[in-house]
Amino acid sequence: MTSSLDTRPSSLSYWAVIPAAGIGRRMGSEIPKQYLELRGRAIILHTLDRLLAHPSVNGVVVALSRHDGWWEHLEPHYDKPVTRVEGGIERCHSVLNALHELALHADDADWVLVHDAARPCLSHSDLDKLIQTLADDEVGGLLGVPVRDTMKRAEANDRVVDTVERENLWHALTPQMFRLGPLRHALEQAIEAEQLVTDEASAMEHAGYQPRLVEGSAGNIKITRAEDLVLADFYLQQQESN
């Protein structure tokens, strides 16, 4: 279902973007991982639920592959706009396409929260914390979790060549939240420089900014392998029981 972004209440200024044009090769499934079933529904629907249930989020732009044959069968119904745009070859292209769509209706100063389609366990409290912490931040930032394990660097043959000091290292999560204008420009600059950044914070770093890390929950997992579905089911059950 595609709704018009023009329904945006003028007093609100938070938007979400979901890049979902990938095929998820590591899952080894016949369909893109965002359409795999989790608790009786497609993963991407759980993700949409989490974002659109938050009162600060006005609507979502979903970037899908040109050849996506699954979205049209979901028929998601929300009382906030969900708009589809064509994704690109890499994540950065998909996000930029979504931002170009948003720029037609939103202000450059509006906040954009970019969230992975395959992170269906985002909690309301983590989303609250991210929005509240960054509301007055000059740059923006992202959810993350400090690294607690010993980190190893390996060569191509999987032999350890170094133990990496874990102090000040974080696992980057999503959503990643930045102003529409600066993020759009940062992605354009990175792509022009042939820097195919793998997340939005990297684009902002490339543009000279220092995004802020906001500690979130380790339960905000990204589903990349079959066993992650079981873990995601567990986290969703835990959230429902609290």
Side-chain angles (χ1 to χ4, degrees):
M1 179 181 183
T2 300
S3 304
S4 171
L5 289 174
D6 290 327
T7 59
R8 174 174 75 105
S10 60
S11 60
L12 301 178
S13 57
Y14 290 86
W15 297 96
V17 164
I18 300 178
I23 60 174
R25 292 184 179 88
R26 283 177 288 179
M27 283 296 295
S29 64
E30 295 181 356
I31 66 174
K33 61 186 177 183
Q34 59 266 27
Y35 296 115
L36 292 175
E37 187 174 295
L38 173 62
R39 312 198 78 196
R41 304 174 72 226
I43 289 171
I44 195 170
L45 291 181
H46 290 281
T47 304
L48 281 165
D49 288 350
R50 298 310 174 97
L51 292 167
L52 291 169
H54 196 281
S56 294
V57 176
N58 304 333
V60 178
V61 179
V62 184
L64 302 172
S65 168
R66 175 185 300 180
H67 306 293
D68 187 295
W70 295 272
W71 174 262
E72 62 187 17
H73 300 295
L74 295 182
E75 297 184 354
H77 295 283
Y78 296 99
D79 56 5
K80 296 179 181 180
V82 177
T83 301
R84 171 180 177 170
V85 298
E86 185 175 316
I89 298 173
E90 301 291 343
R91 175 195 179 96
C92 55
H93 300 110
S94 293
V95 173
L96 185 56
N97 287 351
L99 297 182
H100 285 322
E101 173 66 24
L102 273 178
L104 299 175
H105 311 277
D107 192 272
D108 272 357
D110 284 355
W111 287 108
V112 177
L113 294 89
V114 184
H115 189 54
D116 296 328
R119 287 191 192 271
C121 302
L122 173 66
S123 68
H124 186 93
S125 59
D126 271 8
L127 198 45
D128 260 346
K129 185 177 182 181
L130 181 71
I131 290 173
Q132 292 170 9
T133 301
L134 299 178
D136 297 318
D137 196 272
E138 293 182 357
V139 176
L142 64 153
L143 286 177
V145 176
V147 169
R148 296 181 174 87
D149 300 311
T150 299
M151 304 297 290
K152 302 290 185 181
R153 180 180 288 111
E155 291 182 323
N157 62 0
D158 293 335
R159 295 285 183 180
V160 174
V161 294
D162 190 20
T163 298
V164 181
E165 176 56 53
R166 66 188 175 195
E167 185 178 1
N168 297 325
L169 286 181
W170 290 61
H171 294 286
L173 308 178
T174 67
Q176 303 196 358
M177 178 174 146
F178 300 101
R179 301 281 185 181
L180 171 57
L183 178 57
R184 187 176 74 251
H185 295 148
L187 284 167
E188 289 172 343
Q189 290 172 10
I191 292 171
E192 185 177 350
E194 298 184 349
Q195 297 291 318
L196 299 182
V197 291
T198 56
D199 71 349
E200 295 64 52
S202 296
M204 295 295 284
E205 294 162 38
H206 181 267
Y209 297 98
Q210 289 186 297
R212 182 172 180 179
L213 285 156
V214 178
E215 185 168 356
S217 168
N220 182 15
I221 64 169
K222 184 177 183 180
I223 296 175
T224 56
R225 302 183 185 278
E227 56 266 31
D228 295 332
L229 285 167
V230 178
L231 190 56
D233 182 84
F234 169 77
Y235 282 127
L236 289 177
Q237 288 188 52
Q238 290 294 107
Q239 290 176 13
E240 288 178 1
S241 64
N242 292 335

